[in-house]
Amino acid sequence: PWAKRAPGDVRPRLLEASAAAQLRKGKRAEAAIAAAQEIDPKDVRVDLAMAELREAQGDIGGTVEALARVMRRNPDHVVVKRKYGLLLSQNNRLDDAAPVLEQILSRGFDARVAAELAFVEFRRKKTGEAEALLRKALKKDPAVMEAHYYLGAVLYQKGDIAQARAAYLEADQLAGEDSRPLVALCEVDAQQSS
């Protein structure tokens, strides 16, 4: 009804897209986003809705693309930039992720962002920088699961098995439904017993 009463307003279409995404009705969400796009192709909220849909679908690449469009129009959107940097890292686009994460940290220290930047550096073979950044992140906020998890990987690579195990255990306690720390812990134990 709202959409019929306000044919030139993107908001009802974006609400419909959000609801459809949450109900896992991808085609309906895409149709609502397309309708919003037709009304106002420059509205950043349309790309944010697409990012939300792609994320709900588990499509990290699609989420990154939608957030990239937002970043081109609004490069100083801190919340979007943070999510964009984290997803670039998770999508293994290390050279793209590093400067975005560094820009966020230049505005103020964020332990989760620092942990992700450390993991980027670890994968770029900068283990010392990664460890220092992870320790700083944990000092600032010891409840960041990713910092413990990534520190476990750094310590394991350095051969410090006991400390790596301890970091994975701490990450597992903080992980909630994230199985990565437990899987890493099992791998460490399996490798040590063989």
Side-chain angles (χ1 to χ4, degrees):
W2 183 14
K4 288 180 182 175
R5 279 186 265 147
D9 191 347
V10 298
R11 291 177 299 166
R13 279 101 185 148
L14 295 176
L15 283 172
E16 179 184 352
S18 180
Q22 290 174 13
L23 294 170
R24 302 195 189 296
K25 295 185 177 198
K27 292 202 183 301
R28 185 167 177 180
E30 286 178 14
I33 291 168
Q37 182 85 39
E38 283 181 30
I39 293 168
D40 188 352
K42 294 181 181 178
D43 193 319
V44 171
R45 295 173 297 176
V46 175
D47 289 317
L48 288 172
M50 183 58 80
E52 178 187 340
L53 173 62
R54 293 300 179 230
E55 186 174 21
Q57 294 172 329
D59 178 0
I60 292 178
T63 307
V64 167
E65 284 178 32
L67 292 176
R69 288 191 297 274
V70 174
M71 294 304 302
R72 282 193 291 275
R73 287 195 210 122
N74 191 352
D76 294 324
H77 195 300
V78 177
V79 174
V80 173
K81 185 178 276 191
R82 183 181 192 274
K83 184 171 202 151
Y84 181 58
L86 296 173
L87 287 172
L88 284 170
S89 171
Q90 292 166 22
N91 207 26
N92 217 27
R93 291 176 51 186
L94 307 180
D95 291 337
D96 294 328
V100 174
L101 296 169
E102 287 166 355
Q103 285 173 10
I104 296 165
L105 290 175
S106 72
R107 293 179 174 211
F109 194 79
D110 177 320
R112 174 66 180 94
V113 170
E116 200 64 41
L117 179 58
F119 192 51
V120 166
E121 299 302 5
F122 172 69
R123 288 176 287 167
R124 291 163 84 180
K125 310 296 185 218
K126 298 178 182 176
T127 308
E129 290 176 35
E131 184 176 359
L133 201 48
L134 287 166
R135 293 201 184 277
K136 183 177 179 181
L138 286 169
K139 188 174 182 180
K140 179 79 171 172
D141 185 355
V144 176
M145 182 282 289
E146 291 83 1
H148 292 283
Y149 174 63
Y150 298 152
L151 183 60
V154 168
L155 294 169
Y156 186 77
Q157 186 180 57
K158 288 176 64 178
D160 191 344
I161 306 306
Q163 290 299 311
R165 210 173 174 291
Y168 285 141
L169 279 169
E170 186 64 32
D172 184 48
Q173 289 180 0
L174 296 167
E177 296 182 16
D178 192 330
S179 63
R180 294 177 299 167
L182 184 57
V183 169
L185 191 58
C186 290
E187 288 174 358
V188 167
D189 288 346
Q191 290 173 8
Q192 294 308 300
S193 65
S194 60

